Short mmCIF file of all heavy atoms in Angstrom, two decimals:
data_model
loop_
_atom_site.label_atom_id
_atom_site.label_comp_id
_atom_site.label_asym_id
_atom_site.label_seq_id
_atom_site.Cartn_x
_atom_site.Cartn_y
_atom_site.Cartn_z
N PHE A 40 112.91 55.75 154.74
CA PHE A 40 111.54 55.77 154.20
C PHE A 40 111.52 55.25 152.76
O PHE A 40 112.48 55.46 152.00
CB PHE A 40 110.97 57.18 154.18
CG PHE A 40 110.63 57.77 155.53
CD1 PHE A 40 110.19 59.08 155.62
CD2 PHE A 40 110.73 57.02 156.69
CE1 PHE A 40 109.87 59.65 156.84
CE2 PHE A 40 110.41 57.58 157.93
CZ PHE A 40 109.98 58.89 158.00
N ARG A 44 106.80 57.68 150.70
CA ARG A 44 106.77 58.29 152.05
C ARG A 44 107.71 59.51 152.11
O ARG A 44 107.40 60.51 152.75
CB ARG A 44 107.15 57.20 153.06
CG ARG A 44 107.27 57.68 154.48
CD ARG A 44 105.92 58.00 155.11
NE ARG A 44 106.12 58.43 156.48
CZ ARG A 44 105.86 59.66 156.93
NH1 ARG A 44 105.32 60.57 156.16
NH2 ARG A 44 106.11 59.97 158.19
N GLU A 47 105.76 62.42 150.59
CA GLU A 47 104.74 63.05 151.46
C GLU A 47 105.40 63.77 152.63
O GLU A 47 104.99 64.87 153.00
CB GLU A 47 103.67 62.05 151.91
CG GLU A 47 104.14 60.94 152.81
CD GLU A 47 103.02 60.01 153.27
OE1 GLU A 47 102.03 59.85 152.54
OE2 GLU A 47 103.17 59.43 154.37
N PHE A 48 106.44 63.18 153.18
CA PHE A 48 107.16 63.80 154.30
C PHE A 48 107.76 65.15 153.84
O PHE A 48 107.62 66.16 154.52
CB PHE A 48 108.27 62.84 154.77
CG PHE A 48 109.00 63.28 155.99
CD1 PHE A 48 108.46 63.09 157.26
CD2 PHE A 48 110.26 63.87 155.90
CE1 PHE A 48 109.17 63.48 158.41
CE2 PHE A 48 110.97 64.26 157.03
CZ PHE A 48 110.42 64.06 158.29
N ALA A 49 108.39 65.14 152.66
CA ALA A 49 109.03 66.36 152.14
C ALA A 49 107.99 67.42 151.79
O ALA A 49 108.21 68.61 152.01
CB ALA A 49 109.88 66.02 150.92
N GLY A 51 105.08 67.80 153.30
CA GLY A 51 104.63 68.35 154.58
C GLY A 51 105.64 69.33 155.15
O GLY A 51 105.27 70.41 155.62
N ARG A 52 106.93 68.96 155.10
CA ARG A 52 107.96 69.86 155.64
C ARG A 52 108.03 71.15 154.82
O ARG A 52 108.24 72.23 155.36
CB ARG A 52 109.32 69.15 155.64
CG ARG A 52 109.76 68.53 156.97
CD ARG A 52 108.73 67.70 157.59
NE ARG A 52 109.02 67.29 158.99
CZ ARG A 52 108.22 66.52 159.67
NH1 ARG A 52 107.09 66.07 159.15
NH2 ARG A 52 108.49 66.20 160.93
N GLY A 70 111.77 68.57 163.18
CA GLY A 70 112.01 67.19 163.59
C GLY A 70 110.72 66.52 164.05
O GLY A 70 109.62 67.06 163.90
N ARG A 71 110.86 65.32 164.60
CA ARG A 71 109.70 64.62 165.15
C ARG A 71 110.18 63.76 166.30
O ARG A 71 111.34 63.33 166.33
CB ARG A 71 109.01 63.78 164.08
CG ARG A 71 109.94 62.84 163.37
CD ARG A 71 109.28 62.26 162.16
NE ARG A 71 109.78 60.90 161.97
CZ ARG A 71 109.04 59.85 161.67
NH1 ARG A 71 107.74 60.00 161.50
NH2 ARG A 71 109.55 58.67 161.53
N GLN A 74 107.15 59.49 169.08
CA GLN A 74 105.75 59.15 168.79
C GLN A 74 105.26 59.83 167.52
O GLN A 74 104.07 59.98 167.30
CB GLN A 74 104.88 59.51 170.00
CG GLN A 74 105.18 58.58 171.16
CD GLN A 74 104.72 59.15 172.49
OE1 GLN A 74 104.99 60.30 172.84
NE2 GLN A 74 104.01 58.34 173.24
N ARG A 75 106.21 60.29 166.70
CA ARG A 75 105.94 60.90 165.38
C ARG A 75 105.36 62.30 165.47
O ARG A 75 104.97 62.88 164.46
CB ARG A 75 105.00 60.01 164.54
CG ARG A 75 105.61 58.72 164.07
CD ARG A 75 104.62 57.94 163.20
NE ARG A 75 104.12 58.73 162.07
CZ ARG A 75 103.04 58.42 161.36
NH1 ARG A 75 102.33 57.35 161.67
NH2 ARG A 75 102.65 59.18 160.36
N VAL A 76 105.27 62.85 166.67
CA VAL A 76 104.71 64.21 166.80
C VAL A 76 105.74 65.21 166.28
O VAL A 76 106.89 65.18 166.71
CB VAL A 76 104.37 64.53 168.27
CG1 VAL A 76 103.83 65.95 168.41
CG2 VAL A 76 103.38 63.51 168.83
N PRO A 77 105.35 66.10 165.35
CA PRO A 77 106.31 67.10 164.86
C PRO A 77 106.78 68.01 165.99
O PRO A 77 106.01 68.39 166.87
CB PRO A 77 105.49 67.90 163.84
CG PRO A 77 104.32 67.05 163.48
CD PRO A 77 104.04 66.21 164.69
N TRP A 79 107.65 71.40 166.71
CA TRP A 79 107.50 72.77 166.21
C TRP A 79 108.40 73.71 167.00
O TRP A 79 108.76 73.42 168.14
CB TRP A 79 106.03 73.20 166.34
CG TRP A 79 105.12 72.33 165.54
CD1 TRP A 79 104.39 71.26 166.00
CD2 TRP A 79 104.88 72.41 164.14
NE1 TRP A 79 103.71 70.68 164.97
CE2 TRP A 79 103.98 71.36 163.81
CE3 TRP A 79 105.31 73.25 163.12
CZ2 TRP A 79 103.53 71.13 162.51
CZ3 TRP A 79 104.86 73.03 161.82
CH2 TRP A 79 103.98 71.99 161.53
N GLY A 85 101.17 73.02 165.63
CA GLY A 85 100.80 72.75 164.24
C GLY A 85 100.36 71.32 164.04
O GLY A 85 100.39 70.49 164.96
N SER A 86 99.96 71.03 162.81
CA SER A 86 99.51 69.68 162.47
C SER A 86 99.70 69.45 160.98
O SER A 86 99.58 70.38 160.17
CB SER A 86 98.04 69.51 162.85
OG SER A 86 97.59 68.21 162.59
N ILE A 87 100.01 68.20 160.63
CA ILE A 87 100.29 67.81 159.24
C ILE A 87 99.40 66.63 158.88
O ILE A 87 99.18 65.74 159.70
CB ILE A 87 101.77 67.40 159.08
CG1 ILE A 87 102.70 68.57 159.43
CG2 ILE A 87 102.06 66.86 157.68
CD1 ILE A 87 104.18 68.20 159.46
N SER A 88 98.91 66.61 157.64
CA SER A 88 98.18 65.44 157.15
C SER A 88 98.48 65.25 155.67
O SER A 88 98.67 66.23 154.95
CB SER A 88 96.67 65.62 157.36
OG SER A 88 95.99 64.46 156.92
N HIS A 89 98.54 64.00 155.25
CA HIS A 89 98.66 63.75 153.82
C HIS A 89 97.83 62.54 153.43
O HIS A 89 97.73 61.57 154.18
CB HIS A 89 100.09 63.54 153.35
CG HIS A 89 101.11 63.37 154.44
ND1 HIS A 89 101.10 62.32 155.32
CD2 HIS A 89 102.16 64.12 154.79
CE1 HIS A 89 102.12 62.43 156.15
NE2 HIS A 89 102.78 63.53 155.87
N THR A 90 97.24 62.64 152.27
CA THR A 90 96.63 61.49 151.66
C THR A 90 97.44 61.25 150.38
O THR A 90 98.44 61.92 150.16
CB THR A 90 95.13 61.73 151.43
OG1 THR A 90 94.55 60.53 150.98
CG2 THR A 90 94.84 62.83 150.44
N LEU A 107 96.22 71.63 167.92
CA LEU A 107 95.75 71.81 166.55
C LEU A 107 95.77 70.47 165.84
O LEU A 107 96.77 69.74 165.91
CB LEU A 107 96.69 72.81 165.86
CG LEU A 107 96.25 73.48 164.58
CD1 LEU A 107 94.92 74.22 164.77
CD2 LEU A 107 97.32 74.48 164.13
N VAL A 109 94.66 68.54 162.01
CA VAL A 109 94.11 68.64 160.67
C VAL A 109 94.18 67.25 160.04
O VAL A 109 95.06 66.45 160.36
CB VAL A 109 94.90 69.70 159.83
CG1 VAL A 109 96.30 69.23 159.49
CG2 VAL A 109 94.15 70.09 158.58
N ASP A 110 93.21 66.94 159.20
CA ASP A 110 93.23 65.64 158.52
C ASP A 110 92.58 65.75 157.15
O ASP A 110 91.60 66.48 156.98
CB ASP A 110 92.51 64.55 159.34
CG ASP A 110 92.85 63.17 158.81
OD1 ASP A 110 93.99 62.73 159.03
OD2 ASP A 110 92.00 62.54 158.15
N VAL A 111 93.14 65.03 156.19
CA VAL A 111 92.55 64.95 154.85
C VAL A 111 92.54 63.48 154.44
O VAL A 111 93.48 62.75 154.72
CB VAL A 111 93.32 65.83 153.83
CG1 VAL A 111 94.79 65.48 153.75
CG2 VAL A 111 92.68 65.74 152.44
N GLU A 112 91.44 63.08 153.82
CA GLU A 112 91.30 61.71 153.31
C GLU A 112 90.66 61.78 151.93
O GLU A 112 89.92 62.73 151.63
CB GLU A 112 90.37 60.87 154.21
CG GLU A 112 90.76 60.81 155.68
CD GLU A 112 92.02 59.99 155.95
OE1 GLU A 112 92.34 59.11 155.12
OE2 GLU A 112 92.67 60.24 156.98
N ARG A 124 84.47 49.21 163.29
CA ARG A 124 85.74 49.50 163.96
C ARG A 124 85.87 50.99 164.25
O ARG A 124 86.37 51.40 165.30
CB ARG A 124 86.89 49.04 163.05
CG ARG A 124 88.17 48.95 163.79
CD ARG A 124 89.30 48.38 162.97
NE ARG A 124 90.50 49.09 163.38
CZ ARG A 124 91.41 49.53 162.57
NH1 ARG A 124 91.30 49.34 161.28
NH2 ARG A 124 92.45 50.17 163.04
N PHE A 150 86.00 58.92 160.28
CA PHE A 150 87.39 58.49 160.42
C PHE A 150 88.32 59.71 160.42
O PHE A 150 89.18 59.86 161.30
CB PHE A 150 87.73 57.54 159.26
CG PHE A 150 89.18 57.14 159.21
CD1 PHE A 150 89.69 56.22 160.09
CD2 PHE A 150 90.03 57.71 158.27
CE1 PHE A 150 91.04 55.86 160.05
CE2 PHE A 150 91.38 57.36 158.21
CZ PHE A 150 91.88 56.43 159.11
N LYS A 153 88.06 61.83 163.58
CA LYS A 153 88.68 61.20 164.75
C LYS A 153 90.21 61.31 164.67
O LYS A 153 90.87 61.57 165.68
CB LYS A 153 88.23 59.74 164.87
CG LYS A 153 86.77 59.64 165.29
CD LYS A 153 86.35 58.23 165.65
CE LYS A 153 84.87 58.23 166.05
NZ LYS A 153 84.46 57.00 166.75
N GLU A 154 90.76 61.14 163.47
CA GLU A 154 92.22 61.27 163.32
C GLU A 154 92.65 62.71 163.65
O GLU A 154 93.65 62.94 164.32
CB GLU A 154 92.63 60.91 161.89
CG GLU A 154 92.36 59.46 161.53
CD GLU A 154 93.52 58.54 161.86
OE1 GLU A 154 94.40 58.36 161.01
OE2 GLU A 154 93.52 58.01 162.98
N CYS A 155 91.86 63.66 163.15
CA CYS A 155 92.17 65.08 163.38
C CYS A 155 92.09 65.40 164.88
O CYS A 155 92.97 66.08 165.43
CB CYS A 155 91.18 65.90 162.55
SG CYS A 155 90.69 67.44 163.21
N TYR A 157 92.45 63.33 167.38
CA TYR A 157 93.57 62.65 168.03
C TYR A 157 94.84 63.50 167.91
O TYR A 157 95.58 63.69 168.88
CB TYR A 157 93.75 61.29 167.37
CG TYR A 157 94.83 60.43 167.97
CD1 TYR A 157 94.55 59.57 169.03
CD2 TYR A 157 96.13 60.47 167.48
CE1 TYR A 157 95.54 58.78 169.59
CE2 TYR A 157 97.12 59.68 168.03
CZ TYR A 157 96.82 58.83 169.08
OH TYR A 157 97.81 58.05 169.62
N LYS A 158 95.09 64.03 166.71
CA LYS A 158 96.31 64.81 166.50
C LYS A 158 96.31 66.11 167.32
O LYS A 158 97.36 66.58 167.72
CB LYS A 158 96.47 65.16 165.01
CG LYS A 158 96.89 63.99 164.18
CD LYS A 158 97.18 64.49 162.76
CE LYS A 158 96.79 63.48 161.74
NZ LYS A 158 96.82 64.02 160.39
N ALA A 159 95.13 66.69 167.52
CA ALA A 159 95.05 67.93 168.31
C ALA A 159 95.29 67.66 169.79
O ALA A 159 95.89 68.46 170.49
CB ALA A 159 93.69 68.59 168.12
N PHE A 161 96.48 64.56 171.36
CA PHE A 161 97.56 63.67 171.80
C PHE A 161 98.81 64.42 172.30
O PHE A 161 99.34 64.11 173.37
CB PHE A 161 97.95 62.68 170.69
CG PHE A 161 99.08 61.78 171.09
CD1 PHE A 161 98.85 60.61 171.82
CD2 PHE A 161 100.41 62.11 170.79
CE1 PHE A 161 99.91 59.80 172.21
CE2 PHE A 161 101.46 61.31 171.19
CZ PHE A 161 101.21 60.14 171.90
N PRO A 162 99.31 65.44 171.55
CA PRO A 162 100.54 66.09 172.02
C PRO A 162 100.37 66.76 173.39
O PRO A 162 101.35 66.95 174.10
CB PRO A 162 100.82 67.15 170.94
CG PRO A 162 100.14 66.61 169.72
CD PRO A 162 98.89 65.94 170.24
N ARG A 165 99.63 63.04 175.70
CA ARG A 165 100.45 61.84 175.47
C ARG A 165 99.69 60.56 175.82
O ARG A 165 100.27 59.56 176.21
CB ARG A 165 101.77 61.91 176.25
CG ARG A 165 102.62 63.07 175.85
CD ARG A 165 103.27 62.80 174.51
NE ARG A 165 103.69 64.04 173.87
CZ ARG A 165 104.40 64.08 172.75
NH1 ARG A 165 104.76 62.97 172.15
NH2 ARG A 165 104.72 65.21 172.19
N ARG A 167 97.01 57.64 174.48
CA ARG A 167 96.49 57.06 173.24
C ARG A 167 95.00 56.73 173.39
O ARG A 167 94.60 56.26 174.45
CB ARG A 167 97.23 55.77 172.89
CG ARG A 167 98.67 56.00 172.53
CD ARG A 167 99.30 54.77 171.92
NE ARG A 167 100.65 55.09 171.50
CZ ARG A 167 100.93 55.67 170.34
NH1 ARG A 167 99.98 55.94 169.47
NH2 ARG A 167 102.18 55.97 170.02
N TRP A 168 94.24 57.00 172.35
CA TRP A 168 92.83 56.62 172.34
C TRP A 168 92.57 55.75 171.12
O TRP A 168 93.20 55.93 170.08
CB TRP A 168 91.91 57.84 172.23
CG TRP A 168 91.87 58.66 173.45
CD1 TRP A 168 91.04 58.51 174.51
CD2 TRP A 168 92.71 59.78 173.74
NE1 TRP A 168 91.32 59.47 175.46
CE2 TRP A 168 92.34 60.26 175.01
CE3 TRP A 168 93.74 60.42 173.06
CZ2 TRP A 168 92.95 61.33 175.61
CZ3 TRP A 168 94.35 61.49 173.65
CH2 TRP A 168 93.97 61.94 174.90
N GLY A 169 91.61 54.88 171.27
CA GLY A 169 91.14 54.11 170.12
C GLY A 169 89.90 54.78 169.55
O GLY A 169 89.35 55.71 170.14
N PHE A 170 89.46 54.28 168.40
CA PHE A 170 88.30 54.89 167.74
C PHE A 170 87.05 54.84 168.60
O PHE A 170 86.18 55.70 168.49
CB PHE A 170 88.04 54.19 166.40
CG PHE A 170 89.08 54.50 165.37
CD1 PHE A 170 90.06 53.59 165.04
CD2 PHE A 170 89.10 55.73 164.73
CE1 PHE A 170 91.04 53.88 164.10
CE2 PHE A 170 90.06 56.05 163.79
CZ PHE A 170 91.04 55.12 163.48
N GLN A 171 86.94 53.80 169.46
CA GLN A 171 85.73 53.69 170.28
C GLN A 171 85.73 54.65 171.46
O GLN A 171 84.74 54.79 172.16
CB GLN A 171 85.59 52.25 170.80
CG GLN A 171 85.44 51.21 169.70
CD GLN A 171 84.21 51.44 168.84
OE1 GLN A 171 83.15 51.78 169.34
NE2 GLN A 171 84.34 51.26 167.53
N ILE A 173 86.58 57.93 171.20
CA ILE A 173 86.30 59.29 170.71
C ILE A 173 84.92 59.25 170.07
O ILE A 173 84.67 58.41 169.21
CB ILE A 173 87.35 59.72 169.65
CG1 ILE A 173 88.74 59.73 170.27
CG2 ILE A 173 86.99 61.08 169.09
CD1 ILE A 173 89.83 60.20 169.33
C1 LIG B 1 98.61 60.03 164.33
C2 LIG B 1 97.74 59.40 163.29
C3 LIG B 1 96.32 59.79 163.66
C4 LIG B 1 98.16 59.97 161.93
O1 LIG B 1 97.43 59.47 160.91
P1 LIG B 1 98.05 58.91 159.51
O2 LIG B 1 97.10 57.92 159.04
O3 LIG B 1 99.45 58.45 159.66
O4 LIG B 1 97.99 60.03 158.49
P2 LIG B 1 98.17 61.58 158.26
O5 LIG B 1 98.93 61.71 157.00
O6 LIG B 1 96.87 62.26 158.31
O7 LIG B 1 99.05 62.17 159.44
C5 LIG B 1 100.40 61.95 159.52
C6 LIG B 1 101.04 63.09 160.27
O8 LIG B 1 100.46 63.20 161.57
C7 LIG B 1 101.46 63.68 162.46
N1 LIG B 1 101.45 62.80 163.61
C8 LIG B 1 101.87 61.53 163.67
N2 LIG B 1 101.67 61.04 164.90
C9 LIG B 1 101.12 62.03 165.62
C10 LIG B 1 100.66 62.12 166.96
N3 LIG B 1 100.77 61.10 167.80
N4 LIG B 1 100.13 63.29 167.39
C11 LIG B 1 100.03 64.34 166.54
N5 LIG B 1 100.45 64.30 165.25
C12 LIG B 1 100.98 63.15 164.81
C13 LIG B 1 102.79 63.70 161.71
O9 LIG B 1 103.09 65.02 161.36
C14 LIG B 1 102.51 62.86 160.49
O10 LIG B 1 103.17 63.27 159.32
P3 LIG B 1 104.77 63.21 159.15
O11 LIG B 1 105.20 61.90 159.74
O12 LIG B 1 105.00 63.29 157.69
O13 LIG B 1 105.28 64.40 159.92
C15 LIG B 1 97.83 57.86 163.25
O14 LIG B 1 98.96 57.46 162.57
C16 LIG B 1 97.96 57.24 164.61
O15 LIG B 1 99.05 57.07 165.13
N6 LIG B 1 96.83 56.89 165.22
C17 LIG B 1 96.88 56.36 166.56
C18 LIG B 1 95.85 55.37 166.83
C19 LIG B 1 94.55 55.71 166.30
O16 LIG B 1 94.36 55.71 165.12
N7 LIG B 1 93.62 56.04 167.20
C20 LIG B 1 92.32 56.32 166.82
C21 LIG B 1 92.20 57.74 166.41
S1 LIG B 1 90.70 58.17 167.07
#
Side-chain angles (χ1 to χ4, degrees):
F40 288 176
R44 176 72 179 114
E47 66 178 29
F48 186 80
R52 262 49 191 182
R71 53 192 213 136
Q74 290 161 311
R75 291 182 55 197
V76 179
W79 299 97
S86 182
I87 299 173
S88 182
H89 11 64
T90 187
L107 197 56
V109 70
D110 194 72
V111 56
E112 305 289 337
R124 196 175 144 223
F150 174 76
K153 289 190 180 195
E154 296 271 271
C155 148
Y157 183 89
K158 286 187 215 169
F161 178 84
R165 298 285 159 173
R167 293 192 176 276
W168 289 272
F170 289 104
Q171 298 299 320
I173 299 182

